[in-house]
Amino acid sequence: MTTHSPAPGTSISFALSRNPHGRLVLTLADGVEHVGVLPVRAFPISAPNDGLSLFGTDGHELVWIDHLDQLSAGQRGLVEEELAAREFVPTIERLLHVSSFATPSTWTVQTDRGTVDLVLKAEEDIRKLQGRTRLLITASDGMQYSVPDVTAMDKASRKLLGRFL
């Protein structure tokens, strides 16, 4: 199977659509259709808009996309819808309560998906990303939570979080 990738600065020549069953359909420039393609980010946390593959149902890469900006608005919308359905990383907006400043501890947090209690097993479960203001927190159940910018959080949340950083 040939992987299609454009030269830097050029557009990608394929079409994306949804079939009546809601599955993503990739039509290559040569007219070959692939039903049920899956977009997969190469670097979902550190560079979510850079490096994306479209995989066929057989697990082979069909198209490599260097950056999401290479896609038309319609194509990008379809890819982002598909990714949102597959990726689930709630964003922590506020820390409401921490049971203890020693680990393990139970945190009550307000996320973009609602309030949740999570258990932090160890301080190593808080990873600093991109300039040290972006965090990825892994709860004891394996669920990952994102903090896009610690400095944008309210003072009380920053104070609680600071005890673990």
Side-chain angles (χ1 to χ4, degrees), residues 127-139:
R127 291 189 7 217
K128 296 177 183 177
L129 307 170
Q130 295 179 340
R132 304 176 68 88
T133 62
R134 185 172 180 195
L135 304 176
L136 184 65
I137 299 172
T138 305

Side-chain angles (χ1 to χ4, degrees), residues 17 43 48 50 54 58 66 72 80 90 98 100 104 134 148 157 163:
S17 60
F43 308 102
D50 295 332
L54 297 179
D58 61 358
D66 289 324
S72 69
E80 287 176 340
V98 174
S100 167
R134 185 172 180 195
S157 296
R163 302 284 299 258

Side-chain angles (χ1 to χ4, degrees), residues 123 126 128 132 135 150 158 160-165:
E123 291 177 11
I126 302 173
K128 296 177 183 177
R132 304 176 68 88
L135 304 176
V150 172
R158 288 193 315 268
L160 287 172
L161 193 54
R163 302 284 299 258
F164 291 90
L165 298 176

Side-chain angles (χ1 to χ4, degrees), residues 86-114:
R86 296 183 60 232
E87 298 173 346
F88 183 74
V89 179
T91 299
I92 295 176
E93 298 170 340
R94 296 182 55 215
L95 274 71
L96 303 173
H97 180 265
V98 174
S99 67
S100 167
F101 292 115
T103 53
S105 65
T106 302
W107 294 14
T108 303
V109 298
Q110 176 67 42
T111 74
D112 60 341
R113 310 289 173 114

Side-chain angles (χ1 to χ4, degrees), residues 75-91:
Q75 290 173 332
R76 185 176 178 150
L78 288 170
V79 167
E80 287 176 340
E81 284 174 11
E82 196 71 20
L83 288 168
R86 296 183 60 232
E87 298 173 346
F88 183 74
V89 179
T91 299

Side-chain angles (χ1 to χ4, degrees), residues 34-47:
H34 299 272
V35 178
V37 296
L38 295 174
V40 177
R41 296 181 203 265
F43 308 102
I45 302 298
S46 62

Side-chain angles (χ1 to χ4, degrees), residues 4-6 10-15 63-67 70-71 75:
H4 301 271
S5 182
T10 61
S11 62
I12 299 172
S13 57
F14 61 81
V63 174
W64 171 260
I65 303 161
D66 289 324
H67 196 277
Q70 290 178 284
L71 301 176
Q75 290 173 332

